[in-house]
Amino acid sequence: SEKIDLAIDNFLFVVNNYQKTKYFKEALSGLQSAYASIGNIQKYLEVVKSLPEFSITEAEQDSLMYNTAFMKFSELDYMIARSAFDSYLERFPKGVFVDDANYYNAISALNLKDTASAVNLYKKLVASTSLSYHEVALKFLARKAYASKDFIESNRYYEKLLACASSNSIKREALIRLMILNECSDMRVAVTYA
């Protein structure tokens, strides 16, 4: 990390003192890469914002912040990925990659043994109007609730999962769980899932 800090200092020196030279854009690009490598693209965006004759669009900022978080996720650096996804979600609550960020953030949380955060992130995916991660989120939440013996929640998630299941095995799992969950409370409902 000392090498990255040194690189950042050198790039900042060029960016701040040699804006009219051909090295400026190279230094800016290097600065972006350096901050991305440590998962802190926000610092880069702050530097760019402070430059009088240079700007970056909201869409570019959205992409940069998400891609930085995803890069750290891909490198299995879940701690930095979580922080970067959280920053992205805070900065762009209606961003282009919100569902992707919530999904990969949930997986990062699980890898860090933070199940409570993962549950909250999966709930956001279920509430989302996009259906991209709907099934995987419902599957996780239904299984988690069932394992925790929260049968009312589990029943609710399995009903939704049954409606959107993309494979026979998921459909079968949902039907069996719904049959079992309703067996004691309402046999007529249980029979409808048989």
Side-chain angles (χ1 to χ4, degrees), residues 32-134:
Q32 177 184 333
S33 295
Y35 278 127
S37 74
I38 59 172
N40 194 356
I41 205 69
Q42 281 184 286
K43 285 282 193 190
Y44 169 75
L45 295 174
E46 288 171 17
V47 170
V48 170
K49 190 176 181 180
S50 73
L51 298 173
E53 294 178 22
F54 197 83
S55 67
I56 188 164
T57 67
E58 280 288 307
E60 290 172 317
Q61 291 177 45
D62 183 305
S63 293
L64 267 174
M65 286 188 73
Y66 172 77
N67 287 330
T68 298
F70 185 75
M71 180 180 73
K72 296 321 270 180
F73 174 84
S74 298
E75 294 171 357
L76 309 181
D77 192 343
Y78 300 117
M79 187 75 73
I80 292 178
R82 286 261 359 247
S83 176
F85 282 127
D86 286 343
S87 293
Y88 171 82
L89 291 165
E90 185 179 311
R91 173 88 166 75
F92 297 101
K94 295 180 191 280
V96 175
F97 303 102
V98 166
D99 287 333
D100 299 301
N102 278 318
Y103 174 71
Y104 292 114
N105 205 6
I107 293 172
S108 297
L110 288 174
N111 278 292
L112 295 170
K113 311 288 186 237
D114 185 0
T115 308
S117 291
V119 166
N120 289 332
L121 290 160
Y122 279 124
K123 283 180 178 179
K124 288 179 183 180
L125 289 168
V126 168
S128 172
T129 55
S130 169
L131 301 178
S132 301
Y133 299 104
H134 209 178

